[in-house]
Amino acid sequence: MSSDDPPPADGSPFRDEPTARDEAPQFVLPLVVHIEKAAPPERTDALETSARAVLTILSDERSLGDGVWAQAMRDWQDARIRKVVRRARGAEWRRAEALPGITVTGRSAEVRVFLPVPLDGWPKDLARLQVSGTDLDDPRPPAPADPRAPVLWLNPELDMSAGKTMAQTGHGAQLAWWEMSEKERIAWRESGFALSVRTADPDHWRELSVSDVPLVRDAGFTEIAPGLTVAVEGHDRVGALARRVADAAG
């Protein structure tokens, strides 16, 4: 399976039920968020930047075909799609930036995504970083989601740390990517992976959870019990984003 192919038919990589994917060697996609004590990023911006970081490495030419990262990306996607978010500051962040990966910058957030690594084979400069307790706040309520771009809706019944939620938004973005045609992927990439992350109200969440939109079902390894965490609405709207880019260029 190439890194731009959809998951195989033996089941979602985010389900808790055992599947053939559990028999494959297991890998994890590391993400590191830059958090300085004096100037932490805003929570929603970090969640959106994490999602864009996952999409950026999925679409990078080094991850595709015969690219230098392609085998690592295939190995990861052939098993469970695990993501772990750690935090770094100061010298920790500078050491992390020296490792192969891509840094994606939002309004206030910086997230670096790295090549998948074995579950027990983390590079020492990443393994030493803190993973638990990563939490952030929004200084003001987020603006309404852009209705022209995909929205990653969070389950309003869950209380997850920022780090855990960043992994979930990464999952949601990846599921949406797998649903898209090559033309739609190009349009989304050219838009800068326009998207929003918002918490759904309970009525909207109930509708989303029984719809045919991409849904992330967390396996329940950390923080929460197995269940739905993210619903992606509007991934079929990305074709219009290409027109927006063309209009702006003209």
Side-chain angles (χ1 to χ4, degrees):
M1 182 181 72
S2 69
S3 61
D4 53 350
D5 283 338
D10 63 350
S12 166
F14 306 111
R15 284 188 353 211
D16 53 309
E17 299 91 343
T19 73
R21 302 175 74 88
D22 295 292
E23 302 301 321
Q26 300 295 303
F27 294 82
V28 61
L29 187 78
L31 297 106
V32 174
V33 56
H34 186 191
I35 302 180
E36 297 290 346
K37 288 184 177 179
E42 296 177 6
R43 180 184 175 95
T44 296
D45 188 36
L47 302 182
E48 294 172 348
T49 304
S50 178
R52 292 191 183 100
V54 172
L55 294 166
T56 299
I57 198 168
L58 285 171
S59 65
D60 192 282
E61 62 181 11
R62 291 167 290 184
S63 299
L64 307 175
D66 296 326
V68 295
W69 295 351
Q71 187 61 54
M73 296 296 287
R74 283 194 292 269
D75 290 342
W76 169 57
Q77 292 182 94
D78 283 344
R80 290 282 181 173
I81 308 300
R82 300 173 187 259
K83 300 179 182 73
V84 172
V85 178
R86 296 176 183 251
R87 65 183 187 270
R89 59 186 175 92
E92 296 173 332
W93 175 252
R94 292 190 290 274
R95 286 193 294 267
E97 281 201 302
L99 298 174
I102 304 171
T103 297
V104 177
T105 302
R107 296 182 306 276
S108 62
E110 285 184 290
V111 176
R112 188 163 180 83
V113 58
F114 301 87
L115 295 182
V117 297
L119 284 177
D120 57 354
W122 284 66
K124 64 179 182 179
D125 284 333
L126 297 183
R128 68 180 62 176
L129 299 177
Q130 291 286 333
V131 63
S132 62
T134 300
D135 218 343
L136 300 167
D137 295 310
D138 282 317
R140 62 192 65 82
D146 184 348
R148 299 167 295 181
V151 183
L152 280 59
W153 293 105
L154 303 176
N155 184 341
E157 298 178 357
L158 298 179
D159 182 15
M160 297 183 289
S161 69
K164 176 72 173 180
T165 314
M166 288 171 69
Q168 300 304 304
T169 61
H171 292 337
Q174 188 167 0
L175 284 183
W177 180 257
W178 279 339
E179 292 281 335
M180 292 179 185
S181 67
E182 186 60 25
K183 182 178 180 180
E184 290 171 326
R185 291 175 179 180
I186 291 170
W188 205 12
R189 183 170 62 242
E190 289 181 347
S191 77
F193 295 120
L195 58 84
S196 301
V197 176
R198 298 292 186 271
T199 300
D201 65 52
D203 289 340
H204 189 200
W205 179 256
R206 282 190 289 272
E207 294 174 1
L208 291 168
S209 65
V210 295
S211 69
D212 60 356
V213 302
L215 297 168
V216 177
R217 183 181 295 276
D218 188 68
F221 293 124
T222 60
E223 290 194 25
I224 59 173
L228 296 178
T229 58
V230 177
V232 184
E233 186 178 41
H235 68 286
D236 54 345
R237 295 193 287 256
V238 296
L241 296 173
R243 290 192 292 275
R244 290 170 57 196
V245 171
D247 292 343

